[in-house]
Amino acid sequence: MNTRPIDTVLSRLAGVKKSGQGWSARCPAHEDRANSLSVSEGNDGRALIKCFAECATETVVGKIGLGMRDLFPSNGKPRQSYSRRQQSLTVAELAEAKKLPEAFLKELGVQTLLGENGREIVRIAYKLADGTLAPRQRIRKALRAGDGSSWSKGNGFIVPYGLWKLEEAKQVQYLILVEGESDAWTLWHHGLPAMGIPGASLTKCIEAQYLKNIPKIYVVREPDQGGEAFIAGVALKLKELDWKGQAFEVRLENAKDTNDLHKASPEGFKAAFQKALDAAVLLPEPPIQETDGETPIADTANDSFDSDPRRFFWAKKGKDFLPNLLAEEILTLGDFIASPIDEAGKGVRLLIYENGVFKNGESKARSLAHKLLNHLSKPDRIDSTVALLKESTKIEETKLNPRAMELVNVENGMLEWRTGRLLPHSKEFISTFQIRAIYDPQVRCAVVDRFLEDVFPPDALSLAEEMPGYLFEDSTLILPRFQRFNSPQ
């Protein structure tokens, strides 16, 4: 007779006490004196574990000598196949499939967790340049990303994968751009500098600050439509950033991507990849795009997303629309935030980051929702998706323009007006207004110069220029006129 998973787990824990519908116990993953571990049994017989000190479930299970699969009942039958939303995945399975050491992936922050349905999922840690966790993390439920991949819920932007390792690229003076995480893992494993772009349609997440002091870029092209879109997207983004270095296109012989080349021969990978680097050609000029002043909506027929709109519905029957799935995909196609218009939280507005500034993004979100839903598009489905986008990306109004008194958003960057230093645009400034002008400290306005010379004497010209700036200084205190009559004698 098979032992219930809950009995196996409880027998290996200390301080077990009955608590409500389940049990509490001391967590074996940290020095626990307050029974911070909650254990219960799911409707399907699985053991549910949660540490309120935020220890990872995988760590807790490992400390009592079990594996994640031991939390699920065994009926002696072969493991069944599940639909996309029911699949499971562990770091060990992912490492085996990619022929990379499991310990190496874990060092990079790749973890096995329990999903909402109690099945194992893998979280891939996206970090910022300083090593702190990025706002959004990648979730994998299947070996093939297209069969089960999403972003963690919450506010914030999607960033490239590997920002915390860019110092290595600066040291060797070149960077390799690849699609996805597994290709980046492969290159890092072989000691090569890389940055992963999470999908061909997300080249827009590349920022000038990431490429600073890196004079050469190699872009690996995969032999499919997604690879073609990736190359075109990188070329267009580099042009938008006015990047001055050299960029090359790399094609691999007899391999779909970098990880495939590694799996074919781990020992011969470096030689084969170096051969591909030596044969690289200059990145082609980006295609000319005609727009109406807005960034064109991504062509989902040519990117890594599934074109079947039924993926946004339960069981793909065209019924039971799931707006959260559509909202998640839209968030991979644009950097959206939402903020109340007034202090009461009324009139929430949806903004999208384009050309260095956050601007009205509701129409773009609606267009994307309509395009992705295709023939299943309906007004109420679009409305519910946009409402969910607003709720899931909402930030406080006070967080908009946090450096508004220090930086002026102009078309060619963010002007630090006190020092005259021009910083590159970045969505991290959360700037919602931009002056339609290009900053050039060498340019003078002849009309203004003549006016000042006509009105002020020569020895007062510098003062005349300082006066407007003094009024714009945030520390300047201007008292109302009537106060001089009400001042204490």
Side-chain angles (χ1 to χ4, degrees):
M1 183 174 66
N2 292 330
T3 304
R4 293 160 59 209
I6 191 72
D7 295 331
T8 302
V9 171
L10 292 174
S11 68
R12 301 188 180 209
L13 293 173
V16 176
K17 295 180 181 179
K18 187 66 178 175
S19 176
Q21 299 297 316
W23 295 264
S24 68
R26 291 199 293 272
C27 176
H30 73 280
E31 294 184 5
D32 186 12
R33 299 180 181 179
N35 274 32
S36 58
L37 191 69
S38 172
V39 185
S40 60
E41 187 174 30
N43 293 332
D44 58 356
R46 69 185 185 276
L48 304 176
I49 297 177
K50 177 175 178 59
C51 175
F52 290 98
E54 299 186 352
C55 294
T57 301
E58 183 182 22
T59 303
V60 176
V61 173
K63 288 291 185 180
I64 58 176
L66 299 176
M68 295 292 284
R69 294 181 184 235
D70 295 320
L71 301 181
F72 299 89
S74 174
N75 55 13
K77 295 180 181 180
R79 188 178 180 90
Q80 297 177 351
S81 60
Y82 299 93
S83 67
R84 174 183 297 185
R85 295 183 185 88
Q86 294 177 313
Q87 286 179 317
S88 66
L89 181 67
T90 67
V91 177
E93 291 171 336
L94 190 58
E96 181 181 0
K98 303 300 180 182
K99 287 193 176 180
L100 293 168
E102 180 181 354
F104 174 70
L105 297 189
K106 289 183 176 180
E107 287 175 4
L108 294 172
V110 185
Q111 293 179 296
T112 302
L113 304 174
L114 279 182
E116 295 178 355
N117 60 2
R119 300 193 181 282
E120 297 154 314
I121 60 174
V122 168
R123 188 190 76 164
I124 300 171
Y126 272 61
K127 303 175 187 177
L128 302 177
D130 61 2
T132 59
L133 284 178
R136 308 290 297 281
Q137 307 296 305
R138 186 79 132 178
I139 305 298
R140 287 279 290 272
K141 301 177 183 178
L143 289 175
R144 183 177 173 272
D147 292 334
S149 178
S150 62
W151 292 97
S152 61
K153 299 178 182 178
N155 304 334
F157 318 105
I158 294 172
V159 301
Y161 185 60
L163 296 183
W164 76 99
K165 296 178 72 68
L166 285 179
E167 286 301 319
E168 299 172 11
K170 294 174 183 179
Q171 292 176 8
V172 297
Q173 294 289 281
Y174 73 93
L175 175 68
I176 304 167
L177 290 183
V178 292
E179 288 186 61
E181 301 92 8
S182 59
D183 288 345
W185 297 335
T186 301
L187 292 170
W188 294 338
H189 179 63
H190 288 282
L192 298 170
M195 184 168 75
I197 308 302
S201 63
L202 286 174
T203 52
K204 61 182 180 55
C205 71
I206 302 172
E207 295 193 15
Q209 57 181 317
Y210 305 151
L211 307 180
K212 187 177 180 180
N213 299 325
I214 300 177
K216 187 180 295 185
I217 291 176
Y218 292 97
V219 189
V220 178
R221 175 174 182 165
E222 297 184 9
D224 54 21
Q225 286 187 329
E228 183 178 349
F230 183 59
I231 289 292
V234 172
L236 180 61
K237 188 61 180 179
L238 294 180
K239 186 174 183 178
E240 289 177 358
L241 297 176
D242 194 26
W243 185 68
K244 302 300 184 182
Q246 288 184 304
F248 299 88
E249 176 184 330
V250 179
R251 299 197 183 200
L252 305 176
E253 291 185 7
N254 303 317
K256 176 184 178 297
D257 54 35
T258 307
N259 185 250
D260 273 357
L261 186 65
H262 162 80
K263 289 188 293 186
S265 174
E267 299 78 13
F269 173 83
K270 291 195 77 169
F273 192 76
Q274 185 59 53
K275 180 180 178 182
L277 292 181
D278 294 340
V281 297
L282 286 173
L283 202 67
E285 285 292 317
I288 298 176
Q289 297 187 349
E290 297 181 1
T291 70
D292 56 1
E294 291 189 352
T295 303
I297 296 174
D299 182 1
T300 55
N302 293 324
D303 61 25
S304 58
F305 295 112
D306 184 355
S307 60
D308 186 354
R310 291 177 298 170
R311 68 191 183 280
F312 305 120
F313 296 80
W314 182 252
K316 293 189 176 183
K317 293 181 180 179
K319 297 181 180 180
D320 298 324
F321 174 57
L322 301 173
N324 61 309
L325 297 182
L326 179 56
E328 285 180 5
E329 189 153 321
I330 289 175
L331 287 176
T332 68
L333 299 175
D335 295 315
F336 289 92
I337 60 173
S339 180
I341 293 176
D342 55 37
E343 293 181 356
K346 296 180 180 179
V348 176
R349 55 181 173 172
L350 189 65
L351 306 173
I352 186 172
Y353 184 73
E354 292 180 341
N355 301 321
V357 64
F358 279 95
K359 56 187 180 181
N360 191 336
E362 183 158 339
S363 61
K364 180 61 67 66
R366 288 182 172 277
S367 297
L368 284 170
H370 175 68
K371 187 177 183 70
L372 291 168
L373 284 172
N374 203 337
H375 62 281
L376 297 178
S377 177
K378 290 184 178 181
D380 62 322
R381 291 170 180 169
I382 293 177
D383 288 343
S384 61
T385 301
V386 171
L388 190 59
L389 280 171
K390 289 180 178 180
E391 186 61 33
S392 64
T393 63
K394 190 185 299 182
I395 66 173
E396 297 177 7
E397 188 80 7
T398 55
K399 292 186 177 180
L400 299 180
N401 305 295
R403 299 182 62 185
M405 302 306 295
E406 306 169 29
L407 299 174
V408 178
N409 191 338
V410 292
E411 291 184 355
N412 59 330
M414 302 293 289
L415 174 62
E416 200 174 58
W417 61 269
R418 285 188 177 90
T419 64
R421 187 164 62 120
L422 189 66
L423 304 176
H425 282 127
S426 172
K427 54 180 174 281
E428 295 175 5
F429 295 130
I430 319 184
S431 176
T432 59
F433 49 85
Q434 184 180 82
I435 296 176
R436 290 182 173 274
I438 295 176
Y439 173 69
D440 185 345
Q442 305 302 320
V443 172
R444 300 285 301 182
C445 180
V447 175
V448 174
D449 288 344
R450 283 199 302 271
F451 170 77
L452 294 178
E453 291 170 359
D454 291 342
V455 175
F456 294 91
D459 60 348
L461 288 176
S462 60
L463 177 62
E465 293 181 339
E466 290 175 6
M467 288 168 61
Y470 181 73
L471 294 176
F472 282 112
E473 165 61 52
D474 62 303
S475 62
T476 303
L477 179 63
I478 303 177
L479 298 177
R481 289 183 179 179
F482 68 84
Q483 280 193 330
R484 58 183 174 176
F485 300 110
N486 298 329
S487 300
Q489 298 297 323

